[in-house]
């Protein structure tokens, strides 16, 4: 069977939803490493596989539909996040004009959370949670290879004669070593980049799935969010799924493969790369001679081991994304961050000592304890640390999070419920003492203040290494304001 993963085009007046982290519109194009892993599994199972990333391929709607019209014996797969929900469903409905009976499969966090919304007709299916092996089984079923009925395929939802059927939970993948390496050859690698890394070709990598912490606002990377949502559907919202890891040997082998293929820069998109310090140390020792620049995400309290930070630097680590959220301890406690704010400055100093650039992520209005004064204080403290990058985002209570349930219960939503917006520009919640207009104004000014400071512009002249990157970066910065 020909399985086609679809990242559809958007109209000129709309922005491209980012699907890897799944909580913002794309500031820069990062390859969807999740669908490339699913594609590798399907290809190993004898299927022809394509990835149509229309925004990257610069396909307009007419070209997109015309190309798909030529495809027979196909199955279309969408990987959907909250911000892409309306787009993906509308594209799925439009495909029915030319493909009335072609199977359409939706997976990702948005269909996992609300399968019924995506079930267009009886030829449409939702794979909840981790799609890797369920998608393989589903495609085998569609090929007619299995003597299975739909009701025997775990982890799917579909329309039966009497309505929606949600099949039982599919067991979690416990070790990522069993998965093939992502099929990176299916995409145009020269079109992806990360401005925090100076080199190309660039790609993404994931070495674990899951996070053991309970931050009330948190939307982890989109695949682990889907994994968490599905786990909690069956085991209760108080339960956290166990983290699955790739072994150091497997991670080193993937870096070695990337080196052979000519990659020079990698973003490790684990929710928390440093959960097991000894594991990371072993990885760093193994990739030290590969001359690949990379970055990762980590909590501030996992960045206080000097030996670890030194090994990361020697292995090519260029940046660390750190979820600071606020410099107010009461707010951090309220959102269950479990961080001692007093230790953050030492973390930043240690990273700078080894020339690893810290990027601070600040989340505004995540708690009813937030005031204009606490926001201004956080901004001032963040700026005083002089990190390489600060990103100020407005808190968006995503469906499926504890914060969403709290916002609904306490009536913080200005229009009654969640809607997708740009987290760097718009707020959908407010508090009696902190209105939406003030939240948006403060964040807009904070981003403007940071991105237009002379120090930031001067330091990033080193990163912007051609005119195309310069204009892309400028365009995205201007969109913030």
């Amino acid at each position: 069977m020909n399985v086609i993963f679809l990242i559809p085009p958007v109209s000129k007046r709309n922005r491209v939803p980012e699907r890897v982290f799944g909580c913002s519109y794309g500031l820069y194009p990062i390859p969807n490493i999740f669908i490339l892993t699913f594609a590798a599994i399907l290809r190993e199972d004898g299927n022809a596989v394509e990835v149509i990333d229309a925004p990257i391929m610069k396909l307009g709607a007419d070209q997109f539909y015309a190309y798909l019209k030529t495809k027979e014996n196909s199955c279309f797969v969408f990987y959907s996040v909250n911000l892409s929900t309306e787009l993906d469903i509308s594209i799925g409905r439009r495909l029915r004009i030319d493909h009335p009976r072609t199977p359409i499969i939706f997976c990702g966090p948005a269909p996992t959370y609300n399968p019924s919304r995506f079930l267009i007709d009886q030829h449409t299916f939702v794979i909840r949670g981790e799609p890797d092996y369920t998608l393989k089984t589903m495609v085998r079923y569609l090929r007619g290879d299995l003597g299975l009925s739909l009701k025997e395929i775990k982890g799917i939802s579909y329309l039966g004669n009497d309505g929606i059927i949600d099949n039982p939970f599919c067991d979690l993948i416990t070790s990522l070593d069993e998965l093939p390496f992502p099929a990176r050859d299916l995409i145009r690698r020269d079109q992806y980049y990360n401005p925090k890394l100076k080199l190309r070709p660039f790609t993404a990598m994931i070495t674990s799935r899951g996070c053991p912490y309970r931050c009330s606002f948190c939307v982890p990377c989109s695949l682990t969010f889907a994994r968490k949502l599905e786990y909690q559907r069956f085991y209760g919202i108080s339960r956290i799924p166990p983290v699955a890891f790739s072994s150091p040997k497997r991670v080193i082998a993937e870096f070695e493969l990337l080196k052979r293929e000519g990659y020079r820069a990698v973003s490790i998109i684990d929710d928390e790369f440093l959960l097991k310090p000894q594991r990371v140390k072993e990885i760093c020792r193994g990739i030290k001679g590969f001359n690949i620049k990379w970055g990762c995400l980590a909590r501030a309290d996992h960045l206080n081991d000097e030996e670890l930070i030194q090994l990361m630097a020697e292995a090519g680590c260029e940046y660390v994304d750190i979820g600071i959220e606020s410099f107010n301890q009461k707010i951090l406690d309220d959102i269950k961050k479990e961080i001692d704010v007093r230790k953050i400055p030492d973390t930043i100093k240690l990273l700078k000592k080894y020339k690893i650039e810290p990027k601070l992520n600040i989340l505004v209005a995540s708690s009813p304890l937030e005031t204009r004064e606490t926001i201004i204080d956080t901004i001032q403290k963040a700026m005083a640390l002089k990190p390489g990058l600060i990103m100020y985002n407005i808190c968006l209570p995503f469906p499926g999070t504890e914060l969403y349930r709290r916002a609904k219960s306490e009536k913080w939503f200005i229009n009654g419920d969640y809607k997708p917006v740009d987290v760097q520009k718009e707020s959908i919640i407010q508090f009696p003492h902190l209105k939406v207009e003030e939240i948006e104004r403060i964040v807009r000014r904070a981003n403007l203040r940071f991105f237009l400071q002379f120090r930031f512009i001067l330091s990033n002249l080193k990163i912007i290494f051609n005119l195309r990157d310069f204009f892309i970066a400028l365009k995205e910065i201007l969109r913030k304001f």
Side-chain angles (χ1 to χ4, degrees), residues 298-449:
R299 287 168 54 95
D301 55 350
H302 288 180
L303 292 164
N304 51 18
D305 179 340
E306 185 161 0
E307 180 191 14
L308 173 62
I309 302 305
Q310 183 175 356
L311 284 170
M312 289 169 61
E314 292 172 352
C317 183
E318 294 268 293
Y319 75 86
V320 178
D321 263 301
I322 311 170
I324 300 297
E325 324 315 346
S326 174
F327 280 92
N328 183 286
Q329 189 65 55
K330 290 182 179 179
I331 290 175
L332 293 179
D333 293 343
D334 186 56
I335 62 178
K336 302 182 179 179
K337 185 70 180 181
E338 299 179 23
I339 290 275
D340 184 344
V341 72
R342 296 170 298 180
K343 296 181 180 180
I344 294 174
D346 290 338
T347 292
I348 306 305
K349 290 177 184 176
L350 184 58
L351 289 171
K352 287 185 172 183
K353 176 179 177 180
Y354 290 97
K355 295 182 170 52
I356 297 175
E357 199 68 82
K359 176 203 167 186
L360 308 188
N361 295 295
I362 304 297
L363 192 63
V364 173
S366 61
S367 162
L369 301 179
E370 190 84 278
T371 64
R372 184 179 187 279
E373 290 70 30
T374 62
I375 300 172
I376 297 302
D377 181 64
T378 287
I379 292 170
Q380 291 174 341
K381 288 177 178 176
M383 292 288 287
L385 293 175
K386 297 182 179 180
L389 185 62
I390 306 175
M391 193 68 72
Y392 299 99
N393 291 325
I394 300 169
C395 182
L396 191 61
F398 281 94
T401 63
E402 180 183 338
L403 188 64
Y404 172 81
R405 296 187 289 272
R406 187 178 180 188
K408 285 283 287 183
S409 173
E410 300 190 26
K411 296 181 171 53
W412 295 339
F413 287 108
I414 58 177
N415 291 312
D417 209 337
Y418 165 85
K419 74 169 186 177
V421 296
D422 187 337
V423 294
Q424 292 173 347
K425 298 175 69 173
E426 297 178 66
S427 179
I428 58 174
I429 63 171
Q430 63 182 2
F431 308 113
H433 58 281
L434 189 62
K435 300 302 182 184
V436 61
E437 296 82 8
E438 185 165 22
I439 294 170
E440 293 173 351
R441 180 171 59 253
I442 293 173
V443 170
R444 183 170 59 251
R445 288 177 177 175
N447 277 316
L448 186 66
R449 176 184 174 188

Side-chain angles (χ1 to χ4, degrees), residues 35-54:
I35 65 174
L36 298 182
T37 300
F38 312 153
I41 293 170
L42 292 173
R43 192 162 61 181
E44 284 186 349
D45 203 44
N47 300 285
V49 185
E50 294 182 66
V51 177
I52 307 300
D53 189 339

Side-chain angles (χ1 to χ4, degrees), residues 172-184:
L172 296 175
I173 296 171
T174 57
S175 172
L176 304 188
D177 281 15
E178 65 191 54
L179 299 173
F181 292 132
R184 293 183 174 91

Side-chain angles (χ1 to χ4, degrees), residues 62-335:
D62 291 344
Q63 295 169 297
F64 179 75
Y65 294 121
Y67 178 76
L68 294 180
K69 195 172 183 179
T70 67
K71 297 298 177 179
E72 298 180 357
N73 189 31
S74 294
C75 169
F76 300 139
V77 182
F78 290 85
Y79 182 87
S80 300
V81 297
N82 284 312
L83 295 181
S84 73
T85 294
E86 297 296 338
L87 171 66
D88 294 348
I89 293 173
S90 67
I91 296 293
R93 292 187 182 280
R94 168 61 182 80
L95 287 172
R96 282 289 176 244
I97 297 174
D98 299 323
H99 307 273
R101 299 178 65 85
T102 296
I104 296 177
I105 298 174
F106 290 97
C107 58
T112 297
Y113 180 74
N114 189 359
S116 63
R117 193 173 180 189
F118 290 82
L119 293 173
I120 298 168
D121 55 28
Q122 291 189 328
H123 301 290
T124 309
F125 309 92
V126 163
I127 296 178
R128 308 185 312 268
E130 291 179 303
D132 307 71
Y133 293 133
T134 305
L135 182 56
K136 174 182 174 179
T137 303
M138 191 70 209
V139 171
R140 284 183 174 183
Y141 167 82
L142 294 171
R143 290 189 325 210
D145 291 356
L146 298 177
L148 291 177
S149 63
L150 280 176
K151 67 181 180 181
E152 296 176 274
I153 303 176
K154 291 183 178 181
I156 69 168
S157 297
Y158 58 98
L159 289 174
N161 293 330
D162 298 321
I164 296 169
I165 298 173
D166 295 317
N167 284 2
F169 177 73
C170 183
D171 292 340
L172 296 175
I173 296 171
T174 57
S175 172
L176 304 188
D177 281 15
E178 65 191 54
L179 299 173
F181 292 132
R184 293 183 174 91
D185 59 296
L186 294 177
I187 58 174
R188 300 179 180 180
R189 72 180 193 178
D190 60 306
Q191 296 299 306
Y192 299 90
Y193 71 97
N194 183 338
K196 290 174 285 190
L197 297 165
K198 303 178 180 67
L199 303 174
R200 293 189 189 178
F202 158 79
T203 191
M205 180 188 296
I206 185 162
T207 78
S208 67
R209 293 182 182 179
C211 176
Y213 294 96
R214 298 177 179 271
C215 304
S216 64
F217 60 90
C218 187
V219 176
C221 75
S222 59
L223 180 58
T224 59
F225 190 35
R227 184 178 184 265
K228 178 181 176 181
L229 290 171
E230 178 69 354
Y231 187 83
Q232 292 181 334
R233 174 197 296 268
F234 286 89
Y235 293 103
I237 59 176
S238 63
R239 298 285 298 275
I240 300 292
V243 180
F245 293 92
S246 297
S247 66
K249 181 179 178 180
R250 153 77 183 220
V251 178
I252 294 166
E254 187 167 358
F255 265 97
E256 188 173 21
L257 175 63
L258 295 179
K259 179 176 175 60
R260 290 199 305 269
E261 293 178 344
Y263 283 96
R264 303 175 70 196
V266 176
S267 285
I268 298 174
I269 60 170
D270 300 27
D271 301 305
E272 172 50 67
F273 180 53
L274 305 184
L275 278 174
K276 293 184 174 182
Q278 294 306 316
R279 169 180 175 268
V280 177
K281 289 177 183 179
E282 187 175 343
I283 291 169
C284 288
R285 292 187 182 103
I287 67 173
K288 182 176 178 180
F290 290 171
N291 196 29
I292 293 177
K293 302 301 182 184
W294 55 278
C296 64
L297 293 82
R299 287 168 54 95
D301 55 350
H302 288 180
L303 292 164
N304 51 18
D305 179 340
E306 185 161 0
E307 180 191 14
L308 173 62
I309 302 305
Q310 183 175 356
L311 284 170
M312 289 169 61
E314 292 172 352
C317 183
E318 294 268 293
Y319 75 86
V320 178
D321 263 301
I322 311 170
I324 300 297
E325 324 315 346
S326 174
F327 280 92
N328 183 286
Q329 189 65 55
K330 290 182 179 179
I331 290 175
L332 293 179
D333 293 343
D334 186 56
I335 62 178

